[in-house]
Amino acid sequence: MKEFKFGVTTDTIIFYIDSRKNNNVRGLPEKYFGVLLVKMNNDVYKDKWVLPGGFVNMDETLEEANSRILKKETNLTDVYTEQIGAFSKVDRDSRGRVISIAFMSLIDKTKLKNNIGENASWFDIYFNEDDKMCNIKLVNDTEKLNLKYKKKLVDKTTNEYDYISETNNLGFDHEDILIKGIVNLRKKVNSSDIAFNLMPEEFTIGELKQVYELILGKKLINSAFRRVIKDKIVSTNNYIKTGGHRPSCLFKYKK
Amino acid sequence: MKEFKFGVTTDTIIFYIDSRKNNNVRGLPEKYFGVLLVKMNNDVYKDKWVLPGGFVNMDETLEEANSRILKKETNLTDVYTEQIGAFSKVDRDSRGRVISIAFMSLIDKTKLKNNIGENASWFDIYFNEDDKMCNIKLVNDTEKLNLKYKKKLVDKTTNEYDYISETNNLGFDHEDILIKGIVNLRKKVNSSDIAFNLMPEEFTIGELKQVYELILGKKLINSAFRRVIKDKIVSTNNYIKTGGHRPSCLFKYKK
DNA sequence: CTAATAGTGTCTATTAGACAGTATGTT
DNA sequence: AACATACTGTCTAATAGACACTATTAG
């Protein structure tokens, strides 16, 4: 049957929150938000950074393929994952006609025990955006990638935007996939509890607020944040020292 | 390359609003909400109703394939369409390893000029649901399909549910696809303007409210609805007689 | 007139933004 | 004591639900 000759891949956007010391600042670690990328080495996109992904086997579902790739890259299982969408431009892959289904996973990077592959690297994400554009900086220890998107308002009542990539600093169409993942993550962060998948078991409200701010790319109002979050968390009655001043209470997610 | 042997199809959930006279009631036509199905005739699912769909050609994107199939079934172009998700159970299609990407389209059935294919049929949708289950009746002139879903609360803060199909009255995994489309439509109806894609150019507020009620499967409060909708519509200053009583104003969508 | 549908007004409860103010630790 | 961070309280604006109320027309 002539139609059975598509290649199918999954690509997975592994968003992480990392907690580590900023050398310029005294006190406790800070939070960083980012994404795992791998460097291509055997293709026309040689040396381009891309989202981790791979071909789907004939005997597995898309979700199973995605879990397999996630485990291969991070050695993690039982990770929060959701489907983002299918990408199918005819010339998106030079190896042939390949469609890709993108997934988004959320991990707490501090939980990682095993090292990632030598071609992989964690890139912190920094936003710089306004109503017309969104610039994204992806930064690891040695490299800095600048992605630029034009924002087009598509629905004024819901303030929904289309993002059109104007750069070409990731391989394949992965700039399109990444921005779709970010938009999806931001929407869900505001309307569900998925942010807790990025947190350790116990955390302070200040840390949680930092995570929301990193994802949304803007500062939140303290009292409003506490109000919204207070029904979702439960105190452990343990306190930790933070930043050298008043200790803060550790909370858990109330499921 | 051994991986290049997937079949890829698109399946499209064509939701419609129809306006037609209910024989039991005097006065103006009523609104009906439903979905287009086609009867299989050449497969293991012979005589099962399924969503219209077809194989993606090697030289077209998923979106292009979906538009082609939509045009074939309804002769409509320029229809509001969005991607719903990819479905990939290994045994979902007996013809081989086929994954399907589902789309959702919204049409105003009264705009249709051309007849649909002889294997296709419009099925009105009726909901009967509570917190634990959702029963869906699909009704055309001669047949009635009952779909039953178990509802599982997955996120109490956002009141988000999983729907697990307990019936097998559509072919393939199309019960799964249909419920995902309905959930997606309901979410978007509440947070965007997509419902206007189901309306004619001019409509009364009462008609618009009916459409929202049909999709959401529940009655809305009149004054609250008018408050929310009033910034999205603009009066044409034309009035029509409705139901034999006070005339109502015709409005247009304010883009 | 009555019945039926169209459309308005208003009270209340809930929630978000803004921001002042209090609490408790380190240095 | 000074200051940084944790945390609370309160005013206001916006919005949704509930429901009573008025308006207009057919019969």
Side-chain angles (χ1 to χ4, degrees), chain B residues 158-177:
Chain B
T158 53
N159 221 29
E160 207 167 300
Y161 286 93
D162 241 14
Y163 290 80
I164 299 118
S165 169
E166 298 192 332
T167 47
N168 196 23
N169 292 323
L170 297 183
F172 304 110
D173 50 3
H174 287 195
E175 290 194 16
D176 297 337
I177 298 178

Side-chain angles (χ1 to χ4, degrees), chain A residues 51-90:
Chain A
L51 298 166
F55 281 96
V56 178
N57 294 326
M58 295 303 287
D59 60 350
E60 61 185 1
T61 64
L62 295 166
E63 286 71 20
E64 286 162 356
N66 186 65
S67 299
R68 173 172 54 76
I69 291 159
L70 184 72
K71 180 160 166 34
K72 188 182 121 206
E73 294 294 341
T74 65
N75 210 30
L76 284 171
T77 51
D78 299 318
V79 171
Y80 177 85
T81 299
E82 60 179 77
Q83 217 190 88
I84 298 296
F87 293 78
S88 66
K89 278 197 299 205
V90 173

Side-chain angles (χ1 to χ4, degrees), chain A residues 4-8 56-58 60-62 83 85-86 88 97-98 155-158 191-193 254-255, chain B residues 4-7 56-58 60-62 83 85-86 88 97-98 155-158 191-193 254-255:
Chain A
F4 283 68
K5 41 174 137 166
F6 279 84
V8 177
V56 178
N57 294 326
M58 295 303 287
E60 61 185 1
T61 64
L62 295 166
Q83 217 190 88
S88 66
R97 189 62 210 283
V98 177
D155 187 335
K156 70 176 194 304
T157 59
T158 52
S191 66
S192 80
D193 293 353
K254 191 206 288 178
K255 281 190 187 97
Chain B
F4 284 68
K5 42 173 138 167
F6 278 83
V56 177
N57 294 327
M58 294 304 287
E60 61 185 1
T61 64
L62 295 166
Q83 216 188 90
S88 66
R97 189 63 210 283
V98 177
D155 187 336
K156 71 176 193 305
T157 59
T158 53
S191 66
S192 79
D193 294 354
K254 191 207 289 180
K255 280 189 188 95

